[in-house]
Amino acid sequence: MWPFDRSGSKKSYRPVQTDDVEDDQNSFDFDDGQYTAPKSKRKGLVTTFAGFAGVAFIVLFLIVFGIFLTSHNDRSQTSTEGIPTDPSSPSTEIPSGSAPSSDTTHCTLRREWRTLETSGKHEYIRAVQCLLKQPSQLQPPHNLTANSTLYTDFPFIHARIGYRTHNSAPFLPWHRYFLHLYETALREKCGYTGGLVYWDWTLDAADLTKSPVFDPETGFGGDGDSDLPITLGRSGRCVTNGPFGAGPDGVGVWGQFYDVKFLPHCLSRGFRDDQGNLGTIDGSTVTAESIGEVLDIEGYEDFVTTLEGRVHDAIPFGVAGDFETFTAPYDPLFYLHHTQLDRLWYIWQQRNPERVMEYSGHEGRHSIESAKLTDKIKMGGWAEEIEVRQVMDTEGATKSDDGQALLCYRH
Ligand SMILES: *[C@@H]1O[C@H](CO)[C@@H](O)[C@H](O)[C@H]1NC(C)=O
Ligand SMILES: *[C@@H]1O[C@H](CO)[C@@H](O)[C@H](O)[C@H]1NC(C)=O
Ligand SMILES: [Cu+2]
């Protein structure tokens, strides 16, 4: 039911090779798992966003991508850019058995930021800016402020609903679904044709502040403006450069809440290391060595705990400003950060076929219940409620025989 055919030789974490991105970075040894994941009975729930895109990709990508790969086999680094997909195209039945279940090449490719062409970066930025103009989908009584947009719904939901998943088992599946909703919004509301992008911080661990993701032209802008006063949290100042800052080149992301507190503010950052020195970020927990150690952890509960506490927290607390609290998704970098975390979970899962359905720990932040694959992933009524099992496999939508698995993306 859940075939996994990937195999390979790499065991330690290897950062994306930016000049050779099609190298098989997803290849790892399969260890013998000690834990046998419960096989839950999979039953019916359909999601708001998923259907059309999935069906359209399968048909379009199988055709387009198949031809493309045949003739551009050596250039897959750029092969998914610019392949037109029309998320609004009419739904077509997936012919059963039309493709081998292992063929996931049509799944959306998520790429590292610096491997995108400049045009691809600008296209992603355009789509995010477009989300800022889409109407909010929050329903009463959650539509608290007049200036909400689809973009600001995400930090709102993260702070009101998502916070409960931190420090517990659903941290990874909840964010995986949240990212899927964001990716779907970019594609369906803003005509974006690619996948989410990730920031492989290991490439910048020597000095995170120099990362290309902070570039004002081909990135998300830099640190808060040191000429301005600290106005958000411990070190946050308004970002005044880049496409989302309050400067002349930016659209000026404007947050309404800081965590759950109503506090209208500009997009803010305040680079800060562990000692409280401003303008610098400590990268020691996001080196390739550190990530390699985390990927070697056995057992989902220990893995998620360490990934969140040691790896995930480094970036929010280092970038600070909006990023260091539960309204972090006001900062568009949030999505690059979490897409990388999600990718690490995927890499960890791929090391052992049993791990794809491995799930354990506490059911929620304030819960002593044991986590189960049938636990709900809640979005406060803003998006369809699904079950954890539906997002365990990132390519599940192509393999599932009952249509319940949701996702279809690659790295
Ligand atoms: C919230 O939604 C209700 C019902 O659609 C609407 O009447 C109200 O004006 C909305 N409030 C805000 C602040 O947008
Ligand atoms: C909404 O936006 C307007 C114009 O940008 C601003 O003056 C107002 O303070 C904002 N209101 C809230 C509740 O954020
Ligand atoms: Cu979070």
Side-chain angles (χ1 to χ4, degrees):
M1 189 181 253
W2 297 95
F4 291 95
D5 60 347
R6 277 170 292 271
S7 59
S9 56
K10 299 293 187 302
K11 189 139 194 283
S12 59
Y13 181 79
R14 187 166 71 96
V16 175
Q17 304 298 296
T18 55
D19 55 351
D20 185 24
V21 73
E22 78 278 16
D23 238 37
D24 190 7
Q25 53 190 273
N26 298 328
S27 295
F28 290 96
D29 284 337
F30 288 159
D31 302 317
D32 279 325
Q34 298 178 331
Y35 177 87
T36 302
K39 297 278 187 286
S40 74
K41 192 159 166 22
R42 304 154 81 238
K43 58 178 196 249
L45 277 178
V46 181
T47 67
T48 314
F49 286 130
F52 291 121
V55 173
F57 303 158
I58 288 167
V59 175
L60 266 165
F61 270 86
L62 274 183
I63 297 164
V64 178
F65 203 70
I67 294 165
F68 207 86
L69 277 184
T70 319
S71 54
H72 292 73
N73 210 17
D74 55 341
R75 298 190 61 243
S76 64
Q77 173 172 353
T78 52
S79 64
T80 51
E81 268 205 323
I83 293 177
T85 58
D86 181 0
S88 63
S89 66
S91 166
T92 319
E93 283 298 320
I94 306 168
S96 59
S98 65
S101 58
S102 58
D103 182 5
T104 57
T105 50
H106 60 283
C107 290
T108 310
L109 184 64
R110 293 186 176 176
R111 295 175 52 181
E112 211 280 338
W113 181 249
R114 73 203 81 197
T115 71
L116 297 180
E117 308 287 335
T118 300
S119 61
K121 291 173 179 158
H122 286 156
E123 172 56 10
Y124 180 84
I125 288 165
R126 178 205 63 76
V128 175
Q129 289 178 332
C130 158
L131 271 193
L132 284 152
K133 302 196 189 82
Q134 303 304 310
S136 166
Q137 296 188 0
L138 292 173
Q139 303 298 317
H142 295 302
N143 62 339
L144 295 171
T145 71
N147 291 348
S148 297
T149 66
L150 186 52
Y151 184 85
T152 66
D153 286 356
F154 284 87
F156 184 88
I157 291 295
H158 185 266
R160 306 279 164 147
I161 312 290
Y163 84 95
R164 291 182 211 146
T165 72
H166 292 77
N167 310 110
S168 56
F171 175 74
L172 286 170
W174 191 90
H175 286 84
R176 179 169 276 182
Y177 183 43
F178 190 69
L179 291 172
H180 170 72
L181 294 172
Y182 188 74
E183 184 174 61
T184 305
L186 289 172
R187 296 175 64 93
E188 295 191 350
K189 305 287 182 187
C190 290
Y192 182 62
T193 57
L196 291 181
V197 287
Y198 58 90
W199 172 19
D200 185 350
W201 349 264
T202 64
L203 297 165
D204 304 311
D207 186 351
L208 290 168
T209 67
K210 299 277 187 341
S211 171
V213 302
F214 294 119
D215 192 287
E217 308 276 322
T218 56
F220 298 83
D223 198 0
D225 189 335
S226 58
D227 291 338
L228 297 176
I230 291 174
T231 43
L232 199 71
R234 291 180 294 184
S235 56
R237 310 171 204 258
C238 290
V239 174
T240 53
N241 69 4
F244 301 98
D249 302 326
V251 295
V253 167
W254 194 254
Q256 295 155 316
F257 293 90
Y258 183 60
D259 207 332
V260 292
K261 192 163 78 184
F262 183 69
L263 178 65
H265 65 276
C266 51
L267 173 65
S268 301
R269 295 186 186 131
F271 295 173
R272 192 174 178 279
D273 73 12
D274 294 348
Q275 280 74 49
N277 301 310
L278 299 186
T280 170
I281 304 175
D282 182 2
S284 59
T285 59
V286 294
T287 60
E289 293 71 31
S290 171
I291 302 303
E293 285 168 23
V294 176
L295 289 172
D296 281 341
I297 293 173
E298 296 281 338
Y300 177 85
E301 186 174 8
D302 286 345
F303 174 71
V304 67
T305 303
T306 311
L307 188 70
E308 181 177 4
R310 172 158 144 191
V311 180
H312 157 267
D313 287 351
I315 303 295
F317 293 139
V319 174
D322 277 297
F323 217 144
E324 71 178 331
T325 188
F326 282 117
T327 35
Y330 281 128
D331 192 326
L333 271 181
F334 171 93
Y335 300 96
L336 280 79
H337 175 53
H338 267 278
T339 302
Q340 162 76 346
L341 291 165
D342 185 67
R343 172 175 168 263
L344 295 181
W345 180 27
Y346 163 82
I347 291 170
W348 183 85
Q349 289 180 309
Q350 294 306 306
R351 287 190 173 186
N352 183 332
E354 296 290 336
R355 283 186 182 165
V356 175
M357 282 295 173
E358 179 173 339
Y359 188 58
S360 60
H362 287 240
E363 174 261 337
R365 185 182 179 87
H366 304 299
S367 170
I368 53 161
E369 299 289 314
S370 292
K372 302 182 300 302
L373 286 168
T374 49
D375 290 343
K376 302 278 190 270
I377 301 183
K378 294 179 178 161
M379 289 290 158
W382 173 71
E384 193 76 29
E385 190 169 292
I386 62 164
E387 292 184 4
V388 167
R389 65 192 170 82
Q390 293 179 272
V391 298
M392 295 301 284
D393 184 354
T394 57
E395 296 168 354
T398 58
K399 299 166 186 163
S400 127
D401 45 18
D402 60 5
Q404 293 312 298
L406 197 59
L407 306 174
C408 178
Y409 61 85
R410 302 176 294 132
H411 301 92

